Amino acid sequence: MRWIDALEELAAGRLPEPVHRYFRQGSAGGISAAEAVDAWNAIRFRPQVLTDVSQIDLSTTVAGTPVDVPVLVAPTTLQRQADPDGEAAMAAGTGAAGSLVVVSSNAGTTFADIGATGTPWWLQIYVARNRSATIEMLDAAVAAGARAVVLTADTPVVGRKEDSGPTVWEVIQPGHLLANLEEDKYTNEDLAKADDLGPDVIGWLAERTGLPVLIKGVLRGDDALRCAEAGAAGVIVSNHGGRQLDGAIPTARALPEVAEALAGTTTEVYVDGGLRRGEHVLAALAMGARAVLVGRPALWALSVEGAPGVTRLLNDLGAELDHALRLCGRANPAALTPDLLG
């Protein structure tokens, strides 16, 4: 068995049951969460032969930041439940693999401590009903060296979870959330997610931070084009790990439409959701993604081996991608094109 395939079971033995359940579960009936990996497994390839693959180069840039491998770490919350050093350990492990981490706005580690690892990072943000809370977090992230802002746009309300037994919120330890916000200043209503957003929020975020803005949660080509026209530097094809609208299509199916809609623009395309193998990464890049993001696997790796586990995960996926590139007849991610897909 591949180490990656064993990670969730190993993590389950180390995490409190409500935490493990929270990390793995989808919303409602769990349909979207359950079918994500199978959607990537269903893709087939048309490899090209008699091409020079003696030298493989996995490096690329993401919103202007160089990375050694086109596999980034997606934003996830409650990382200090997985490892005492939480987001700082996740960042350190990511940096050791030459990649980039997206940090949740719910992080239980200060942005300053994350920035101190030296790993390039983006801030994932929700816009709160009280914009002052959002501004406070944005300013703290800019001061700590964030390279971009990722707006999660698919969460006007939080998708319902069908829990049985104690929930994670009943066992979470104090201080494991919102380390970058003076919570006492805001009510729960203040911190509720804004449900009145339009494309103009992209310009507001860019003006406030001076950073590239990417929109996460895009599953349609027309939405992707609206984001691009509003100034988005990138879109992330995502169904929130199946944690929002249950029955939302798999990202493997949504990606080609989004990439086609953005062809000819400068807006970069990324994808997350169910990517577990180098061949999955190969398929995503051939469809038009600049890089992919992994969420749950990084949490499992952090839970099992801490920062070195995150490094191992990214290195293993990079090695598998290297192998797959050679077998499909391409020497680097930029050379991947949709004609390689069957």
Side-chain angles (χ1 to χ4, degrees):
M1 176 184 287
R2 295 161 71 236
W3 178 75
I4 294 172
D5 293 334
L7 275 176
E8 181 178 351
E9 184 176 351
L10 292 171
R14 297 169 183 246
L15 295 168
E17 192 279 332
V19 174
H20 174 253
R21 184 183 350 126
Y22 179 79
F23 284 167
R24 68 170 170 75
Q25 73 187 153
S27 63
I31 295 168
S32 293
E35 66 185 8
V37 177
D38 287 343
W40 291 108
N41 285 339
I43 294 170
R44 297 295 179 266
F45 301 102
R46 300 170 62 242
Q48 191 164 28
V49 299
L50 297 178
T51 61
D52 183 357
V53 291
S54 58
Q55 299 293 324
I56 299 294
D57 181 7
L58 299 182
S59 65
T60 188
T61 61
V62 291
T65 296
V67 292
D68 293 341
V69 61
V71 183
L72 318 179
V73 173
T76 53
T77 192
L78 297 180
Q79 292 183 18
R80 290 185 61 195
Q81 294 285 336
D83 182 277
D85 292 327
E87 290 82 4
M90 185 75 84
T94 302
S99 189
L100 178 147
V101 62
V102 187
V103 176
S104 169
S105 55
N106 292 326
T109 306
T110 67
F111 296 150
D113 285 345
I114 295 167
T117 66
T119 298
W121 64 284
W122 296 343
L123 169 70
Q124 174 274 330
I125 193 77
Y126 297 104
V127 174
R129 290 183 184 173
N130 184 333
R131 300 296 197 266
S132 295
T134 304
I135 289 170
E136 182 179 330
M137 197 164 290
L138 290 169
D139 290 351
V142 170
R147 306 279 187 96
V149 175
V150 176
L151 171 65
T152 296
D154 60 1
T155 315
V157 295
V158 176
R160 80 177 192 278
K161 310 301 186 294
E162 297 178 354
D163 282 299
S164 59
T167 70
V168 69
W169 310 114
E170 297 172 65
V171 302
I172 184 175
Q173 299 175 35
H176 282 197
L177 277 176
L178 296 172
N180 296 280
L181 198 64
E182 294 183 46
E183 283 188 86
D184 292 343
K185 291 170 54 177
Y186 305 104
T187 66
N188 287 338
E189 179 66 18
D190 287 330
L191 298 178
K193 295 168 177 60
D195 56 6
D196 59 348
L197 300 181
D200 58 331
V201 72
I202 296 171
W204 177 71
L205 289 168
E207 182 179 0
R208 181 72 199 187
T209 63
L211 297 174
V213 176
L214 297 89
I215 307 302
K216 181 176 181 289
V218 176
L219 293 171
R220 298 168 54 105
D222 54 358
D223 275 351
L225 195 55
R226 289 168 65 224
C227 292
E229 291 171 346
V235 300
I236 301 175
V237 178
S238 174
N239 65 15
H240 213 113
R243 297 174 67 85
Q244 282 301 104
L245 175 64
D246 198 24
I249 65 172
T251 56
R253 284 178 49 194
L255 176 57
E257 177 186 325
V258 171
E260 182 179 359
L262 294 180
T265 74
T266 59
T267 302
E268 297 177 350
V269 180
Y270 301 85
V271 65
D272 67 21
L275 295 129
R276 300 291 185 270
R277 291 181 169 274
E279 292 80 5
H280 297 169
V281 182
L282 177 76
L285 300 180
M287 288 178 185
R290 191 170 191 87
V292 309
L293 299 95
V294 292
R296 289 185 180 95
L299 276 177
W300 307 141
L302 184 69
S303 301
V304 172
E305 292 189 8
V310 178
T311 305
R312 180 178 177 183
L313 170 73
L314 297 175
N315 285 342
D316 283 1
L317 288 172
E320 290 183 359
L321 175 60
D322 179 297
H323 182 77
L325 280 166
R326 294 176 192 273
L327 290 177
C328 81
R330 293 292 188 269
N332 57 69
L336 293 169
T337 47
D339 64 286
L340 291 169
L341 303 173

